[in-house]
Amino acid sequence: MLMNQWVNVKQDGKSLKDYFLKNNYKKIAVYGMGDIGKRLAKELKNSDVEVVYGIDQNKDIRYSDIQIVSVSDHLANVDAVVVTVLDKFYEISDVLAKKIHCPVLAIEDILNEI
């Protein structure tokens, strides 16, 4: 359903970058570098929104353009963290709230607001 919603957003001529810029989120981190996280990073590449780093339990994930860190590592300051793990948002946001002081956003909520 999420990917269908994302395609609908694109077909309506909108972009996730518009949401981030509207909310003044110019530097973000992406939590969860699976398929959704990689698609988000790719969509924002070469835009005015920089994905500073990805956060994943598996730090060994390779994604060419951004550094991948673990939640237990130092998390550099960003304007927001976008959680792309669909079924554990509240658990993840609780952990992140103890590590970093910025909004923690669910990808589903962002797509619903566009």
Side-chain angles (χ1 to χ4, degrees):
M1 285 177 39
L2 176 101
M3 295 310 248
N4 185 51
Q5 187 175 6
W6 199 334
V7 169
N8 283 333
V9 165
K10 298 294 283 179
Q11 289 176 336
D12 288 343
K14 299 175 185 172
S15 170
L16 289 171
K17 78 173 171 99
D18 299 332
Y19 170 87
F20 294 116
L21 293 175
K22 177 182 147 192
N23 290 287
N24 205 32
Y25 301 142
K26 296 180 181 173
K27 293 181 180 268
I28 67 166
V30 175
Y31 184 103
M33 290 306 295
D35 290 335
I36 297 169
K38 288 175 183 173
R39 298 290 168 265
L40 176 58
K42 186 174 183 177
E43 179 164 330
L44 296 174
K45 186 177 180 176
N46 299 321
S47 77
D48 293 332
V49 179
E50 178 187 2
V51 178
V52 179
Y53 56 91
I55 307 167
D56 202 281
Q57 290 179 342
N58 182 2
K59 284 176 37 171
D60 296 329
I61 288 178
R62 298 282 181 240
Y63 190 76
S64 60
D65 295 332
I66 59 174
Q67 176 187 12
I68 308 298
V69 299
S70 169
V71 74
S72 61
D73 292 334
H74 169 74
L75 302 180
N77 290 333
V78 290
D79 299 323
V81 177
V82 180
V83 176
T84 64
V85 178
L86 301 180
D87 60 347
K88 296 185 179 185
F89 174 75
Y90 294 106
E91 291 173 37
I92 293 166
S93 64
D94 286 345
V95 170
L96 289 172
K98 296 173 186 165
K99 296 276 301 179
I100 195 163
H101 302 288
C102 67
V104 178
L105 312 167
I107 187 72
E108 302 102 318
D109 293 341
I110 293 169
L111 288 167
N112 286 331
E113 285 190 42
I114 296 176

